[in-house]
Amino acid sequence: MADEAKAKGNAAFSAGDYESAVRHFSDAIALAPTNHVLYSNRSAAYASLFRYSEALDDAKKTVELKPDWSKGYSRLGAAHLGLGHADDAVSAYRKGLEMDPNNEALKSGLADAQAAASRSRAAPNPFGDVFQGPEMWAKLTAEPSTRVFMQQPDFVKMMQEIQKNPSSLNLYLKDQRVMQALGVLLNVKFHSPNQEDRDMPEAEPADPPSQPEKKPEPQAHPEPEPDPMEISEEEKEARERKAQALKEKEAGNAAYKKKDFETAIQHYTKAIELDDEDISFLTNRAAVFLEMGN
């Protein structure tokens, strides 16, 4: 029975249906709870779903059940790396290589973990600790614009995943609720379009009502046209800074498309310095950091 569920899980995993793979491996584990291979396989399925916390739990169980099996340490390293625990990932891969020095998967994983550890020491997390601890939930609950989201299970689940693994933020940036929450946590203002800025349907002009013919009245002297409103130097400077910030953003986008991440970061950083109220500059730079593994 356990072998049958395992076979179904392997088939689902090979087909890229990781949710089904998790389900089948869980069924197999229920029937054979001491089989280390089942936990290893489910760890791989969880990692493929970016659910690295669950992947880590299963990897730890794999190593606990079979401490002399090198593949368990490969799962452990991958889960730690997914969670951003680069140093722990390095330790796990090295432990596996002690048992199997020629294992190419472990060598490759170790190289990735060491590179990630080096990058994390060179560049700080762009979001700091905004997703850490109960403070995140307190801020989102206190803010009226995000309080309503706390009643939506899918939003809460996304924020829990981001809290466990900040790198997964890149997966949810298209969700406006997550963007709103990010703005609250970073104390960044969002600009909503004014009602006047929205496209409104134009009504057909009505025929003017007929009026009785009137005798021409004496022409009055026309009122002088008001002088155009003068823009203050501060407002003029602010507009120029916003325009320059948009140019920096466009330059950053161009560099990002060319995979020139360092240049992209420089342009996005300059855009933020020029206009710190536009969150798109911040999220674009965050996407580059995440692409680089930071």
Side-chain angles (χ1 to χ4, degrees), residues 228-240:
M229 185 182 298
E230 292 186 2
I231 300 175
S232 67
E233 287 297 323
E234 289 184 1
E235 186 174 352
K236 182 178 180 181
E237 182 180 349
R239 290 184 181 182
E240 291 176 351

Side-chain angles (χ1 to χ4, degrees), residues 8 22 30 41 44 88 102 111 126 141 159 167 230 234 237 242:
K8 289 181 179 179
V22 166
N41 288 4
D88 290 331
N102 297 318
T141 302
M159 295 308 297
S167 298
E230 292 186 2
E234 289 184 1
E237 182 180 349
K242 285 182 180 293

Side-chain angles (χ1 to χ4, degrees), residues 105-121:
L106 288 167
K107 289 180 180 179
S108 176
L110 177 60
D112 289 342
Q114 289 174 327
S118 178
R119 288 195 300 266
S120 65
R121 285 189 285 269

Side-chain angles (χ1 to χ4, degrees), residues 237-249 266-278 281:
E237 182 180 349
R239 290 184 181 182
E240 291 176 351
R241 289 173 67 87
K242 285 182 180 293
Q244 185 60 38
L246 288 174
K247 290 182 179 179
E248 293 290 344
K249 176 185 176 182
Q266 292 174 9
H267 286 298
Y268 292 139
T269 300
K270 183 63 176 178
I272 294 168
E273 292 172 356
L274 290 166
D275 180 10
D276 61 2
E277 292 187 345
D278 192 328
F281 307 151

Side-chain angles (χ1 to χ4, degrees), residues 43-100:
S43 178
Y46 275 134
S48 298
L49 291 167
F50 306 103
R51 293 165 60 179
Y52 294 110
S53 293
E54 291 96 330
L56 181 60
D57 290 340
D58 277 352
K60 288 180 177 179
K61 187 66 175 179
T62 303
V63 171
E64 176 188 326
L65 291 170
K66 188 71 171 174
D68 59 346
W69 191 45
S70 63
K71 194 167 188 178
Y73 295 96
S74 179
R75 301 293 189 219
L76 192 62
H80 275 307
L81 194 56
L83 288 169
H85 306 158
D87 290 333
D88 290 331
V90 168
S91 297
Y93 285 124
R94 282 178 174 167
K95 183 71 173 178
L97 283 169
E98 289 176 7
M99 301 172 188
D100 188 0

